[in-house]
Amino acid sequence: QAAADPMSSSDAPEDGPKETSSVSQNISDADAFKILLEMKMKKRQKKPTLPATVTELDTEDGSKVYVVGTAHFSDSSKKDVVKTIQEVQPDVVVVELCQYRVSMLKMDEKTLLKEAKEINLEKLQQAIKQNGVMSGLMQMLLLKVSAHITEQLGMAPGGEFREAFKEASKVPFCKFHLGDRPIPVTFKRAIAALSFWQKVKLAWGLCFLSDPISKDDVEKCKQKDLLEQMMAEMIGEFPDLHRTIVSERDIYLTYMLKQAAKQIELPRASETEPRKYIPAVVVGVVGMGHVPGIEKNWNSDLNIQEIMSVPPPSASSKIFKFVIKATVFGLMGYGCYRIGQRTVQFILSMPAAQSYLQKLTEIRSQH
């Protein structure tokens, strides 16, 4: 930053050496870029010492991708992410987040912990408004799984992504990319893949999730992310749901990693200078459950257009939506009825009301 944005002469100390000021003023942006790039390349390890959770992948043009498989509730995973980024000094860091979850990168741990534990009516309304009734309810049920783990461990999710964001900001010219498919697309496709009774059964299983979890359980699940393992156990009998929530996102994450791994252009001193490109170094931070799928899809030609489309709602979805709405409005109507009934009973029991009713009775008897 000092090379790219040198001090002006008016800001320099009067008793400082004049040569330093004149030299700094003569550094062009391209020269500053080259200096910082050289510093970065020197710091980049030729044979990096990487954690066992890192999978190394190569592209046809020589770029390297280091995929860090993480457990979303693990201190060890956070350390693996930091060490990998420090060792390889990447050009791009890609994380398993989309724009709908990017807020967790800048929130402090205390706030995130509170947010993750609490699932209230406001969050439900927001999820339904954003994704529709069915997808919104499914999102809230899956958040309940995350909140259950958060409550059990006292640890906010996404710590490895926040560490990746912090470390990427320390590496010169390192870009930070969101690599996951948008949540609304995933949930809408998941809902469309289920029959009416499958939706009911899955919702029932998620609502009554209460198994205790320990921090040791998280580390034992390092080879298969805890959150994804719990989800896999619950959706194991729903292969279509597993396909939309896991397999399709494997494809999407692979596609985004390959896009990030395209060769990078070196700075040029002038427009006449020929363009030069070098292979890129990329670090991907994803749940451990996605690593096998990324490896499987790595050498395939990928087209994500199909997995980005949202199919029209099925007849079962419409029925389920109607049942949910009817239930909600029915409960609201019954609540209003009960409140109204109690209110009338309370008013009639008051002395003033009883006196007034007695007078009315007397008047009617006289006539």
Side-chain angles (χ1 to χ4, degrees):
Q1 287 177 340
D5 187 21
M7 279 193 303
S8 63
S9 57
S10 60
D11 294 330
E14 291 182 3
D15 55 349
K18 294 181 180 178
E19 291 81 9
T20 303
S21 177
S22 61
V23 169
S24 65
Q25 286 180 338
N26 290 331
I27 295 178
S28 66
D29 288 344
D31 290 336
F33 191 105
K34 286 179 180 178
I35 292 170
L36 289 175
L37 190 61
E38 286 174 7
M39 290 170 60
K40 175 178 175 176
M41 293 302 181
K42 285 180 181 178
K43 196 174 179 182
R44 181 180 286 174
Q45 300 295 322
K46 290 183 179 179
K47 293 184 178 180
T49 305
L50 300 172
T53 52
V54 175
T55 300
E56 187 176 336
L57 300 169
D58 299 299
T59 66
E60 294 178 355
D61 56 20
S63 295
K64 285 192 173 293
V65 178
Y66 299 92
V67 182
V68 188
T70 68
H72 293 316
F73 291 84
S74 169
D75 286 325
S76 178
S77 284
K78 292 192 278 188
K79 293 174 184 175
D80 289 352
V81 169
V82 171
K83 181 173 178 59
T84 303
I85 292 175
Q86 289 177 347
E87 287 283 315
V88 306
Q89 293 290 294
D91 303 301
V92 186
V93 171
V94 181
V95 296
E96 185 198 329
L97 287 176
C98 69
Q99 65 267 34
Y100 294 92
R101 292 183 290 162
V102 73
S103 60
M104 72 160 54
L105 294 175
K106 294 186 178 181
M107 292 172 71
D108 62 90
E109 199 78 11
K110 187 177 179 181
T111 305
L112 267 171
L113 190 59
K114 183 181 177 183
E115 284 286 316
K117 285 181 181 179
E118 295 178 354
I119 297 180
N120 50 39
L121 184 60
E122 185 181 347
K123 285 186 179 180
L124 177 59
Q125 290 174 334
Q126 185 178 357
I128 290 174
K129 184 179 179 181
Q130 186 180 85
N131 305 318
V133 175
M134 291 304 308
S135 300
L137 288 172
M138 179 63 73
Q139 182 179 341
M140 291 307 297
L141 289 171
L142 294 178
L143 281 176
K144 187 179 184 297
V145 179
S146 180
H148 171 62
I149 302 174
T150 300
E151 187 71 39
Q152 293 281 318
L153 302 182
M155 182 188 300
E160 73 273 32
F161 302 137
R162 289 188 291 283
E163 289 298 325
F165 183 66
K166 291 175 188 174
E167 285 302 313
S169 67
K170 299 175 186 177
V171 179
F173 313 114
C174 182
K175 297 176 182 178
F176 190 86
H177 289 183
L178 303 175
D180 202 2
R181 183 172 65 178
I183 282 179
V185 176
T186 296
F187 283 118
K188 286 175 182 177
R189 286 184 63 83
I191 289 296
L194 295 178
S195 69
F196 173 75
W197 291 114
Q198 284 178 324
K199 291 168 189 172
V200 172
K201 194 171 183 179
L202 179 64
W204 182 267
L206 291 170
C207 284
F208 292 94
L209 177 73
S210 59
D211 294 337
I213 305 161
S214 68
K215 290 189 178 182
D216 290 337
D217 291 332
V218 178
E219 296 308 324
K220 286 177 185 176
C221 293
K222 192 68 177 293
Q223 296 308 310
K224 191 171 185 182
D225 178 64
L226 179 63
L227 181 59
E228 288 174 10
Q229 179 169 316
M230 292 181 70
M231 288 306 305
E233 289 173 358
M234 283 183 288
I235 66 178
E237 56 191 290
F238 308 129
D240 290 332
L241 192 61
H242 184 275
R243 173 177 53 79
T244 53
I245 291 182
V246 181
S247 301
E248 288 184 359
R249 288 173 59 228
D250 290 345
I251 295 172
Y252 191 91
L253 287 164
T254 306
Y255 178 85
M256 295 303 288
L257 286 168
K258 292 177 83 169
Q259 290 297 306
K262 290 182 177 179
Q263 289 191 328
I264 59 174
E265 183 183 351
L266 292 175
R268 295 182 295 164
S270 65
E271 291 295 326
T272 56
E273 187 178 335
R275 296 177 183 273
K276 294 180 181 178
Y277 297 87
I278 60 171
V281 173
V282 178
V283 169
V285 183
V286 304
M288 182 60 73
H290 290 291
V291 176
I294 291 171
E295 287 186 276
K296 177 185 174 183
N297 293 304
W298 188 251
N299 293 316
S300 305
D301 292 328
L302 303 175
N303 183 358
I304 63 169
Q305 294 303 317
E306 183 182 345
I307 61 172
M308 289 299 290
S309 62
V310 179
S314 62
S316 63
S317 294
K318 292 177 181 178
I319 293 170
F320 192 67
K321 184 176 179 180
F322 173 78
V323 170
I324 290 292
K325 282 187 175 181
T327 303
V328 170
F329 285 116
L331 289 172
M332 287 175 63
Y334 180 72
C336 292
Y337 166 74
R338 292 292 297 171
I339 292 171
Q341 190 180 43
R342 289 181 180 180
T343 303
V344 170
Q345 289 175 351
F346 174 73
I347 292 172
L348 291 177
S349 66
M350 293 176 66
Q354 289 180 350
S355 176
Y356 182 72
L357 288 172
Q358 188 176 358
K359 287 181 180 179
L360 282 175
T361 305
E362 290 175 357
I363 293 171
R364 287 184 66 182
S365 62
Q366 287 174 3
H367 287 286

